[in-house]
Amino acid sequence: MAGVPVVVTDCVISLATVDVTRIRYAAGAYSTTAGSKGVFQAGASTTATISAVIGPIDGRTRDLLPEGIRLRARYLCHTTADLRGDQPTASGTAILQADRVVFNGRTYQVYQDRDWVTLGAFQRSVLVDQTAEP
């Protein structure tokens, strides 16, 4: 029996999605001005609503995270939208800050992008609590 092909990841994503806010920053840089030299100046931010599946982080994924991030990792975020972590730009002086995701009234930093969108699937990211201690 022939039918319309169904992409399973699209079905799972569409059944369990929630709308969250993505905050994206333009490139920032470290100040070279006297009196504030070395202070990071963040770029302007923009917001967008994206659909994502947010779930608990599993023990294996948590164990693979660096020590400073492990205790603050809260959720896994699966989405077909574009999310990014901290990345230096080609010039080496400007820095693109990680995106932030607002979920249930709290803001989380995006960490560890796994981009499977080019393979027809989704992107998986770890949402990290921005507070100093868990």
Side-chain angles (χ1 to χ4, degrees):
M1 179 174 197
V4 177
V6 175
V7 179
V8 175
T9 55
D10 290 346
C11 291
V12 172
I13 293 285
S14 65
L15 290 174
T17 59
V18 293
D19 286 339
V20 296
T21 301
R22 177 191 68 199
I23 303 170
R24 174 155 295 168
Y25 295 91
Y30 288 98
S31 174
T32 57
T33 307
S36 64
K37 189 171 185 174
V39 176
F40 182 73
Q41 307 278 325
S45 66
T46 58
T47 61
T49 300
I50 63 170
S51 293
V53 176
I54 309 289
I57 189 166
D58 59 273
R60 183 174 184 276
T61 301
R62 185 182 299 278
D63 289 345
L64 294 173
L65 294 171
E67 190 68 33
I69 298 294
R70 189 177 305 143
L71 293 175
R72 296 183 299 134
R74 295 292 179 256
Y75 299 103
L76 284 177
C77 174
H78 296 85
T79 183
T80 55
D82 178 39
L83 288 177
R84 69 173 186 219
D86 286 329
Q87 304 168 10
T89 60
S91 70
T93 57
I95 297 174
L96 293 175
Q97 289 182 273
D99 288 341
R100 304 298 193 262
V101 171
V102 180
F103 172 64
N104 282 346
R106 288 195 71 161
T107 303
Y108 299 93
Q109 179 178 337
V110 173
Y111 181 80
Q112 188 181 352
D113 291 326
R114 300 270 173 102
D115 189 358
W116 295 309
V117 173
T118 57
L119 301 174
F122 51 87
Q123 187 176 51
R124 183 183 87 172
S125 301
V126 174
L127 299 184
V128 179
D129 196 341
Q130 293 187 253
T131 57
E133 295 296 323

